Amino acid sequence: MSDFHQNGIITDFHNLTRRPVAALEAELCEFGRRRPMSLILPSLYSELEGPALAHIVEALAEVPYLAEVVIGLDRADRAQFLHARQFFARLPQRHRILWNDGPRLRALDAELEGHGLSPQEPGKGRNVWFCAGFVQASARGAVVGLHDCDILTYDRGLLARLFYPVAHPHFNYEFCKGYYPRIADGKLNGRVSRLMVTPLLRALKQMHGPLPYLQYLDSYRYPLSGEFAMRAEVLDGIRIPADWGLEIGVLSEVHRNHSTKRLCQVDLADCYDHKHQPVSEEDASAGLNRMSLDIAKALYRKLATQGVTFSGEGFRTLKATYYRLALDLIEAYHHDAVMNGLALDRHAEERAVELFAANLLEAGNAFLDNPGERPFIPSWNRVRSAIPDLLSRLHDAVEADNDPRATPGA
């Protein structure tokens, strides 16, 4: 049995990593008879050429309980899509690739745009949104999991732990978020979570009080992790950002739509490493620079819907409050690193905090300057209302692209 504690907001399953993977998988095979499981993999074509995804696919090929694997493929031309079909062909489970840049899915996207329902920009959020639509159209999964395709330390146990709380037929959890230690190569990682999100949430609580939403977000050990599982019906009504605010956006939506008693988080791994984003201090459209801007805007938008009033003066105060809290945390992280024999570059940490502080103000100005912005992709509930047959046509388009007897995109 897993150790767990109730923190008053969501249930936290800790040390589930101590259970043998074979035992978890045997139970999940039984659970799958009542709650079949689908997995979404949002991927760039470039990830097919890296070391992580090939290993992930090898591991997934041994997973016995998956009913379906859905791969969202971005930035791929026709030749690259054909290569992707071969790349994923080793999966014995039913699997389908969404060729997001192919003519069939582009035509559907254009139709959505004509109704004002298309995602406004490319990115992980858009990729996940189309995959979620296909999963609903295929109706093969009662539980849907998602994880990134750049996990260098991937193993089957991570997926089993992620699915377990939501797939268990006698549990009533509707959503599960994964977490893990951000330690690799003898140093602390997870800079955006450690140095931006945690002190930002505490600064917002200091300024606006212990709002339930802020308390809720702060209860997640790693809110920016890309691993979560949910009941299929949860996908139906959520509105997610198309940008780097995806993870915060998903957490916000499940908080809005579901009781916190139905939400949980689970310890996925003792060791986790993935592709690290550069800070990109000189380029606000890339790396951690862009990520921090998008996350800040996602938080501001959500708080505004709960009645929080923002102003230019308020954002300047938030920047100062955040900066002091973040510097205090750097001191604590330094002590933690020393105690555990880990490396921590305090100069690089403080430079990151300076960038994030500037971006809090920049995101605030963007929020105030563009109050009519439509940042969220519409829910699939709304799409069905506007275009009743679109999901079935999305399903048919994906099936046609994946048919080895047909010409993709023809």
Side-chain angles (χ1 to χ4, degrees), residues 219-230:
S219 69
Y220 284 100
R221 293 177 184 254
Y222 190 37
L224 299 186
S225 73
E227 292 74 31
F228 38 86
M230 66 191 81

Side-chain angles (χ1 to χ4, degrees), residues 273-402:
D273 194 19
H274 67 166
K275 178 183 69 178
H276 299 285
Q277 295 284 344
V279 176
S280 298
E281 292 176 88
E282 305 303 321
D283 184 0
S285 66
L288 303 189
N289 197 341
R290 167 70 183 279
M291 187 185 299
S292 60
L293 281 166
D294 289 346
I295 290 168
K297 287 190 286 186
L299 280 170
Y300 298 160
R301 294 174 194 133
K302 180 61 179 181
L303 287 167
T305 68
Q306 301 199 359
V308 174
T309 301
F310 291 107
S311 65
E313 294 80 4
F315 283 125
R316 285 191 286 274
T317 301
L318 177 62
K319 175 186 175 182
T321 306
Y322 156 81
Y323 188 66
R324 182 64 265 169
L325 289 170
L327 291 180
D328 290 343
L329 279 176
I330 289 176
E331 185 75 12
Y333 291 137
H334 171 67
H335 296 164
D336 192 13
V338 170
M339 289 173 63
N340 288 283
L342 302 172
L344 185 136
D345 185 337
R346 294 191 61 165
H347 175 60
E349 297 266 297
E350 293 203 22
R351 286 189 64 178
V353 165
E354 289 165 359
L355 174 67
F356 297 154
N359 281 350
L360 294 185
L361 191 56
E362 179 67 24
N365 291 334
F367 174 82
L368 294 174
D369 291 343
N370 192 8
E373 181 184 17
R374 182 165 65 87
F376 296 100
I377 307 172
S379 70
W380 279 106
N381 261 339
R382 181 179 173 188
V383 172
R384 264 198 299 269
S385 176
I387 316 174
D389 68 339
L390 189 126
L391 275 181
S392 63
R393 288 190 285 124
L394 170 63
H395 181 272
D396 292 345
V398 173
E399 290 295 322
D401 278 343
N402 284 265

Side-chain angles (χ1 to χ4, degrees), residues 64-347:
Y65 53 83
L66 284 176
E68 177 182 55
V69 179
V70 176
I71 303 106
L73 184 66
D74 274 347
R75 301 183 191 175
D77 59 25
R78 183 177 181 277
Q80 290 167 332
F81 172 69
L82 291 173
H83 173 247
R85 288 204 319 199
Q86 294 178 332
F87 182 88
F88 290 104
R90 72 191 88 172
L91 289 174
Q93 304 92 345
R94 171 190 164 87
H95 58 278
R96 295 294 184 267
I97 304 170
L98 273 72
W99 182 20
N100 292 320
D101 298 298
R104 289 191 174 97
L105 266 60
R106 285 293 184 189
L108 292 176
D109 187 49
E111 183 177 348
L112 286 164
E113 187 173 359
H115 286 77
L117 299 173
S118 173
Q120 294 298 294
E121 59 181 289
K124 181 181 176 183
R126 180 186 184 278
N127 191 335
V128 170
W129 185 76
F130 272 106
C131 288
F134 179 79
V135 166
Q136 291 178 70
S138 73
R140 290 179 176 270
V143 177
V144 182
L146 183 148
H147 65 64
D148 292 329
C149 292
D150 62 351
I151 307 170
L152 295 166
T153 51
Y154 189 84
D155 65 65
R156 288 156 51 192
L158 180 151
L159 187 65
R161 296 171 196 118
L162 181 64
F163 270 120
Y164 194 94
V166 185
H168 198 297
H170 303 307
F171 293 175
N172 64 357
Y173 299 108
E174 295 174 318
F175 176 84
C176 177
K177 177 79 164 175
Y179 68 86
Y180 31 77
R182 293 309 319 279
I183 299 170
D185 299 324
K187 60 182 181 180
L188 288 176
N189 293 317
R191 288 168 292 179
V192 180
S193 187
R194 287 190 299 108
L195 300 177
M196 185 209 168
V197 174
T198 295
L200 174 56
L201 291 175
R202 294 177 184 178
L204 287 165
K205 285 195 286 186
Q206 190 166 315
M207 290 181 61
H208 300 289
L211 300 176
Y213 170 67
L214 294 175
Q215 296 284 80
Y216 159 76
L217 280 186
D218 204 21
S219 69
Y220 284 100
R221 293 177 184 254
Y222 190 37
L224 299 186
S225 73
E227 292 74 31
F228 38 86
M230 66 191 81
R231 301 277 184 90
E233 56 267 26
V234 174
L235 289 172
D236 217 23
I238 62 175
R239 298 165 63 242
I240 61 175
D243 55 23
W244 285 104
L246 170 66
E247 286 77 18
I248 292 293
V250 169
L251 294 182
S252 299
E253 285 291 282
V254 296
H255 179 256
R256 181 176 67 89
N257 294 338
H258 303 278
S259 166
T260 53
K261 294 179 180 179
R262 300 293 184 90
L263 314 178
C264 67
Q265 60 183 336
V266 64
D267 188 359
L268 294 182
D270 293 324
C271 177
Y272 182 102
D273 194 19
H274 67 166
K275 178 183 69 178
H276 299 285
Q277 295 284 344
V279 176
S280 298
E281 292 176 88
E282 305 303 321
D283 184 0
S285 66
L288 303 189
N289 197 341
R290 167 70 183 279
M291 187 185 299
S292 60
L293 281 166
D294 289 346
I295 290 168
K297 287 190 286 186
L299 280 170
Y300 298 160
R301 294 174 194 133
K302 180 61 179 181
L303 287 167
T305 68
Q306 301 199 359
V308 174
T309 301
F310 291 107
S311 65
E313 294 80 4
F315 283 125
R316 285 191 286 274
T317 301
L318 177 62
K319 175 186 175 182
T321 306
Y322 156 81
Y323 188 66
R324 182 64 265 169
L325 289 170
L327 291 180
D328 290 343
L329 279 176
I330 289 176
E331 185 75 12
Y333 291 137
H334 171 67
H335 296 164
D336 192 13
V338 170
M339 289 173 63
N340 288 283
L342 302 172
L344 185 136
D345 185 337
R346 294 191 61 165
H347 175 60

